[in-house]
Amino acid sequence: MDSRTINICGVGICQLLLFSGYFALLDLQKTLLASAHDDNPNFNVDGYTLSGVIYTSFSLSVLLTPSVISSIGPRLTMFIGALCYLAPPVAMYLENSWLLYVAFSLKGIGGALTWTASSNYLVLNSTEQTLARNMALFWFFFACGYFPGNLFTYFAFKSVTVKIDESTRHLVLFVMAGFIAVGAFAHLFLRDVQESRKKSNADTPLQALKRTSNIALSRNTAVLLLAFGYVGLNMSFISGIYGSSIGFTLQIGEGVKRLVPLSGVFAGCGEVSGGILGRIFGKVNVFRINVFFVAAVILNCICYLMIFLSLPAVANFGNTYEKAFIGPRPWLLLLVAYFLGVGDSLLNIQMLTLVGSLYPHDSAPAFGVFKISRSVFTAASYYYSRYLPLPTQLLILTIFGAMGMITFNVMNVTHERRKVADKC
């Protein structure tokens, strides 16, 4: 195994550890806060709003992240960003409203640092030929982060029925914080990129900011904006909204709260499966159209239809005994979680690969623009989830999925033709 592949595996393992805690926390956020409110009516903070705060902060921070990377390098940037992930579980443990908003804003800044730096680190350790493979390999490790925290929570919720008691909430938050801390400090053991690779990507902070602005205002970004937006909307739905909606559907029965982390486990299985497919095949083009991106959108739309039929329209708002068209079937809901994970994995791998291929020498600014665009839509999704019922959200996802699929492949076809022309 060459040094670059070792670096890819290393950063993937760091993300696995970090997100073992964060994924479980994100799935449970709305449910944990609702139970805390039941114990203390004066503590009233909405989980969707907090997620919106994360991605608003993320969007505002990403623009400056390439400048930070150019100053201290991707490895230290990832470490500093990962430490910020500790703020949410600590604030949720203390159950202080104003501290929660501060902590989740800090998490948004940390996410901007970690994601942009890790994407830059992946590109610096890749070539045009290995980029798709390395993105899939990284995604495989990253997606495995769905398992440890969610599995722990599933067993911790063994005696939980409608409400999660305080001792169980605190135990889960303590363990999730432990996962995050281990993942954060693991970044210190990553190796720096070879000097020859770094020089070709080096910029002063001001140059990095200028490059980011130029890419943000470019034609490529304008064409890909709807595709970026769909990836963001779909990410928020699978990460925070779908699991909560299952947990609030009390018609399922007493074990409904355990389905929240279990749906996260199945989504993780789907993410891993998508990563394996990407690792084996890289990217598959038919007439220069990206087959995986098209397949992911179609698969997601089928899942949206199953959710529309299976969950009550108001399931995303809170506990409800309302019925859906066919009634909630746990096995079907978990199967949908799996295929949503497959679709999300394929979407992200293909998007990261295309962005990295479009800007091989400006990877940090380019991924920064992608993260900004995606997180704006993710934040909007969390904010409107407080007010829009599930059917409306599913319709929005379907429309954006269709438009994103078209615009992504317009850019993919254009880029493939340009690569062929450059070789001639």
Side-chain angles (χ1 to χ4, degrees), residues 58 77-78 80-82 84-85 105-115:
F58 188 109
T77 303
M78 284 186 280
I80 294 170
C84 297
Y85 279 70
S105 298
L106 185 62
K107 158 61 190 68
I109 297 171
L113 293 170
T114 301
W115 271 109

Side-chain angles (χ1 to χ4, degrees), residues 5 53 56 66 76 104 132 137 139 159 177 194 216 240 257 272 379 397 420:
T5 303
V53 168
T56 300
L76 284 178
F104 277 71
L137 181 60
W139 199 266
S159 59
Q194 293 178 6
K257 300 304 180 185
V272 171
L397 284 164
V420 171

Side-chain angles (χ1 to χ4, degrees), residues 344-382:
D344 182 66
S345 179
L346 295 176
L347 288 173
N348 277 280
I349 290 171
Q350 301 309 313
M351 186 64 74
L352 290 169
T353 301
L354 179 60
V355 173
S357 182
L358 285 169
Y359 300 100
H361 302 299
D362 290 316
S363 57
F367 283 120
V369 171
F370 167 50
K371 303 300 182 184
I372 292 171
S373 305
R374 188 184 70 174
S375 60
V376 166
F377 283 88
T378 301
S381 175
Y382 278 119

Side-chain angles (χ1 to χ4, degrees), residues 88 125 170 202 285 302 321 342 345 376 392 408 413:
N125 283 283
H170 287 179
N285 292 328
I302 295 172
Y321 283 99
V342 173
S345 179
V376 166
T392 306
F408 177 90
V413 170

Side-chain angles (χ1 to χ4, degrees), residues 50-320:
L50 286 176
S51 295
V53 168
I54 288 177
Y55 288 99
T56 300
S57 174
F58 188 109
S59 304
L60 297 174
S61 307
V62 167
L63 193 61
L64 299 176
T65 303
S67 299
V68 177
I69 296 171
S70 68
S71 298
I72 63 175
R75 185 172 67 93
L76 284 178
T77 303
M78 284 186 280
F79 168 66
I80 294 170
L83 285 178
C84 297
Y85 279 70
L86 281 169
V90 173
M92 290 178 72
Y93 184 92
L94 296 175
E95 296 183 2
N96 182 290
S97 299
W98 69 266
L99 187 60
L100 273 170
Y101 288 106
V102 173
F104 277 71
S105 298
L106 185 62
K107 158 61 190 68
I109 297 171
L113 293 170
T114 301
W115 271 109
T116 307
S118 61
S119 300
N120 175 237
Y121 191 80
L122 289 170
V123 172
L124 292 176
N125 283 283
S126 304
T127 64
E128 177 70 28
Q129 291 71 35
T130 63
L131 183 59
R133 183 204 69 184
N134 288 345
M135 288 294 180
L137 181 60
F138 164 78
W139 199 266
F140 171 82
F141 285 108
F142 162 74
C144 287
Y146 276 93
F147 301 137
N150 278 313
L151 284 172
F152 172 83
T153 306
Y154 174 75
F155 290 109
F157 282 6
K158 185 176 182 180
S159 59
V160 171
T161 54
V162 175
K163 190 185 76 171
I164 305 169
D165 61 90
E166 184 180 44
S167 61
T168 303
R169 291 199 306 270
H170 287 179
L171 173 63
V172 168
L173 291 170
F174 179 78
V175 172
M176 297 309 113
F179 278 125
I180 291 170
V182 172
F185 282 98
H187 284 88
L188 293 176
F189 295 95
L190 291 174
R191 300 186 300 183
D192 281 321
V193 184
Q194 293 178 6
E195 196 64 28
S196 60
R197 294 285 294 169
K198 290 174 71 175
K199 284 180 180 178
S200 64
N201 289 266
D203 267 329
T204 65
L206 185 60
Q207 287 174 324
L209 181 60
K210 184 178 179 180
R211 286 177 182 271
T212 304
S213 301
N214 290 339
I215 293 173
L217 299 174
S218 69
R219 176 181 174 276
N220 289 350
T221 300
V223 173
L224 287 172
L225 185 60
L226 290 175
F228 289 165
Y230 175 61
V231 174
L233 293 175
N234 185 67
M235 183 180 71
S236 62
F237 186 78
I238 186 176
S239 299
I241 299 169
Y242 180 58
S244 298
S245 299
I246 293 175
F248 288 139
T249 306
L250 301 183
Q251 190 188 4
I252 293 174
E254 288 189 354
V256 63
K257 300 304 180 185
R258 299 185 78 191
L259 286 181
V260 179
L262 195 58
S263 69
V265 171
F266 274 77
C269 291
E271 297 276 2
V272 171
S273 299
I276 292 172
L277 286 173
R279 176 68 177 83
I280 295 172
F281 296 104
K283 59 179 180 180
V284 179
N285 292 328
V286 175
F287 302 113
R288 299 192 177 97
I289 293 174
N290 189 297
V291 173
F292 277 154
F293 201 93
V294 174
V297 173
I298 294 173
L299 185 61
N300 283 346
C301 288
I302 295 172
C303 290
Y304 302 152
L305 176 60
M306 292 298 101
I307 295 168
F308 171 73
L309 295 173
S310 301
L311 292 180
V314 296
N316 56 305
F317 297 142
N319 290 331
T320 178

